[in-house]
Amino acid sequence: MNDLTRGKPLKLIFWFTIPLLIGNIFQQFYSLSDTLIVGQTLGVKALAAVGSTGSVQFLIIGFAQGLTAGLSILTAQHFGARDFKAVRRSFAISIVVSLIVGIILTILSLVFVDHILLVMQTPTDIIADARTFLQIMLGGMLAPIAFNLLSNIIRALGDSRTPLWFLIISALINIGLELLFILVFKWGIAGASWATILAQTIATLMCVVYIIVKVPILHIGRRHFKLVWSEVKAHLNVGLPMAFQMSIIAIGTIVLQAALNSLGTNSVAATTAAQKIDQVATQPLMSFGVTMATFAAQNYGAHKYERIITGVKQTMWLSGSFSVAAGLIEIIWGKQLVGFFVGHQDMAVLNLSQTYFNVIGSTYILLSMLFIMRNTLQGLGRSAIPTLAGAAELFMRVFAALILVRIFDYAGACSSEPLAWLGSCAVLLPAYIKSVHDLRQQARMEATVAEGAVPVLDDSEKS
């Protein structure tokens, strides 16, 4: 386990982020291998079918993943306060809540899958494959929910390396199974989804074994599952806003996906392939953000408020610099990268993907700010504001889908992401500034009570 409440903030944040970043990149191999293998072996229509389901998966599975991330925030705060009994209670509550939510979401999503695909205006030539892929992914959603919960809990204790190894192993398993199911067993698009579910199930089992063998602080028994409503409510107060935040964002993505579907298969295929590059490029930005949630939560539990502010400032500069570099790479070489997924002969798809990169890559700085502010606020337990920011993202995406797509066609659809990031930052920035003021005020109050004066920070806190 890694205590993020002691030592130089930037050094701790950087080394905590590196394994998290590598792990997130390997996690993208699930979708990347789907895209690459499906696109090269089953064709552009199959690729479009996989891509057309992405926003639906984001809505349903994203809700549960947002919930598990929120539940782990309280675990991190208890760990920072060195209250290990509360850590175990928090873990037990998180398991129960995640299981109940996962079962409900699985049943509802399978019942309404056909209605969802029709509402999204999925093109008729890919709807059968889209239905097959989506039914398997949603039917097995307990696997990614369980893996995300256990990974988030382990990271809440300051260990970002162990989930990395499990992701690497499961990603390699996923690739191997996809090749086996599609090329050897001839399962078609169903093989891609089964490979992903099985690989994530294996990753979950690895987390369970690791906790049993190596993490005694998470060993729980029957007594820990005797739920107290006040404790459950505290977890829901953090977890549900993060879950709804993910869903609100996903609704906007679904509306946009419907608009993309109306533009035809080429637009769907171009966006699907370009988004895979985009997802890899933005992993460092996302990883810095996730790190700040754990960093802020542990230090908030330890009452080290000024340390949180220092860490955010330093991480803003680091993440912002990378966002500029990543955007330039996409703008210059994006079309060549997309060619690996769809081949270099389909110029219509390649040209559309370049439009996507020109719009998205030039605005990554907004996304870097968004991730850090949003996750820091969540780490402080202030989940309501990020939910409002998600509503702002929804408004912007709907505006782009309903208005800008009609005016600017595919370029209008691409503009939805930067507009969503801008809307979210407009909500998050004032809230973050106020939180900084509140943290400093709280630090002064506690220092006055403890020592009668404002404490002087040591060198490690200033760095």
Side-chain angles (χ1 to χ4, degrees):
M1 302 301 104
N2 188 13
D3 187 352
L4 301 180
T5 65
R6 298 182 178 90
K8 295 183 177 181
L10 185 59
K11 181 179 179 181
L12 287 168
I13 290 169
F14 180 79
W15 288 114
F16 185 90
T17 300
I18 293 301
L20 188 61
L21 169 60
I22 298 172
N24 284 341
I25 291 175
F26 270 93
Q27 191 169 29
Q28 290 303 314
F29 278 7
Y30 289 126
S31 57
L32 277 172
S33 58
D34 286 340
T35 303
L36 183 59
I37 296 173
V38 170
Q40 293 289 349
T41 61
L42 300 178
V44 171
K45 287 187 177 180
L47 173 63
V50 173
S52 68
T53 67
S55 56
V56 178
Q57 294 181 65
F58 184 26
L59 170 65
I60 300 171
I61 299 178
F63 179 91
Q65 291 175 341
L67 177 69
T68 60
L71 294 173
S72 68
I73 292 296
L74 285 183
T75 308
Q77 290 183 357
H78 293 318
F79 181 76
R82 319 308 292 171
D83 188 347
F84 300 144
K85 180 180 179 180
V87 167
R88 294 187 179 94
R89 294 281 299 165
S90 177
F91 184 31
I93 292 170
S94 298
I95 292 174
V96 173
V97 172
S98 298
L99 181 62
I100 293 173
V101 170
I103 292 173
I104 293 173
L105 288 178
T106 299
I107 295 172
L108 291 177
S109 60
L110 290 177
V111 169
F112 293 104
V113 63
D114 286 331
H115 298 82
I116 293 171
L117 290 172
L118 290 175
V119 169
M120 290 180 61
Q121 304 179 55
T122 306
T124 56
D125 58 340
I126 64 174
I127 194 169
D129 280 345
R131 181 188 298 110
T132 298
F133 186 82
L134 192 58
Q135 284 177 332
I136 297 172
M137 292 298 295
L138 296 180
M141 76 166 71
L142 282 177
I145 291 173
F147 179 57
N148 276 275
L149 172 64
L150 297 180
S151 296
N152 285 326
I153 293 294
I154 292 172
R155 291 189 190 104
L157 305 185
D159 180 4
S160 61
R161 295 182 181 180
T162 300
L164 161 63
W165 292 111
F166 297 155
L167 277 170
I168 292 174
I169 295 170
S170 62
L172 295 175
I173 292 172
N174 181 55
I175 294 172
L177 290 176
E178 274 199 284
L179 292 172
L180 176 67
F181 294 163
I182 294 176
L183 298 180
V184 180
F185 292 174
K186 306 297 182 183
W187 287 1
I189 203 168
S193 50
W194 276 118
T196 299
I197 294 300
L198 289 175
Q200 291 179 329
T201 300
I202 292 171
T204 300
L205 294 176
M206 288 189 289
C207 285
V208 172
V209 172
Y210 175 76
I211 289 173
I212 293 173
V213 176
K214 294 290 187 178
V215 194
I217 192 176
L218 293 179
H219 289 182
I220 52 179
R222 183 177 300 178
R223 68 184 185 279
H224 298 108
F225 287 93
K226 295 179 180 179
L227 303 184
V228 177
W229 172 242
S230 60
E231 295 178 350
V232 175
K233 183 179 178 181
H235 283 72
L236 293 176
N237 285 341
V238 178
L240 284 179
M242 289 182 67
F244 284 120
Q245 170 203 322
M246 296 291 287
S247 292
I248 290 171
I249 295 172
I251 291 170
T253 305
I254 287 177
V255 173
L256 179 62
Q257 184 67 57
L260 278 171
N261 290 345
S262 69
L263 295 177
T265 300
N266 281 344
S267 293
V268 176
T271 305
T272 301
Q275 283 180 340
K276 302 310 175 184
I277 308 298
D278 171 59
Q279 287 166 3
V280 173
T282 58
Q283 284 309 305
L285 313 184
M286 183 183 299
S287 299
F288 280 122
V290 173
T291 296
M292 291 312 299
T294 302
F295 179 83
Q298 284 196 14
N299 282 280
Y300 188 75
H303 296 228
K304 295 187 176 183
Y305 307 121
E306 194 66 37
R307 181 179 174 83
I308 298 172
I309 300 169
T310 300
V312 170
K313 287 180 180 179
Q314 295 174 342
T315 309
M316 278 277 195
W317 280 105
L318 187 59
S319 181
S321 299
F322 182 88
S323 69
V324 174
L328 288 174
I329 291 173
E330 281 192 354
I331 292 171
I332 297 172
W333 291 294
K335 187 184 293 186
Q336 288 82 353
L337 294 172
V338 168
F340 288 110
F341 296 99
V342 300
H344 296 278
Q345 290 74 38
D346 198 335
M347 293 306 300
V349 173
L350 293 176
N351 289 333
L352 286 171
S353 69
Q354 187 61 54
T355 300
Y356 180 94
F357 290 132
N358 291 342
V359 175
I360 299 296
S362 60
T363 53
Y364 275 157
I365 187 69
L366 290 173
L367 185 61
S368 69
M369 295 175 59
L370 186 159
F371 278 136
I372 292 173
M373 290 190 295
R374 183 170 70 191
N375 282 277
T376 299
L377 290 171
Q378 290 169 343
L380 297 175
R382 305 182 183 188
S383 299
I385 295 299
T387 304
L388 292 177
E393 289 190 47
L394 169 62
F395 174 81
M396 290 298 193
R397 284 195 175 94
V398 171
F399 172 75
L402 299 182
I403 305 299
L404 297 185
V405 170
R406 295 182 180 181
I407 300 174
F408 301 107
D409 202 60
Y410 185 70
C414 295
S415 68
S416 67
E417 290 300 315
L419 285 175
W421 302 338
L422 181 62
S424 183
C425 286
V427 176
L428 292 171
L429 183 58
Y432 173 71
I433 292 173
K434 183 179 185 303
S435 294
V436 169
H437 173 76
D438 293 343
L439 288 173
R440 285 177 170 156
Q441 186 176 40
Q442 184 68 22
R444 287 192 294 268
M445 291 175 59
E446 292 187 7
T448 300
V449 171
E451 302 177 11
V454 178
V456 178
L457 299 178
D458 60 31
D459 292 336
S460 66
E461 299 289 280
K462 294 178 180 178
S463 60

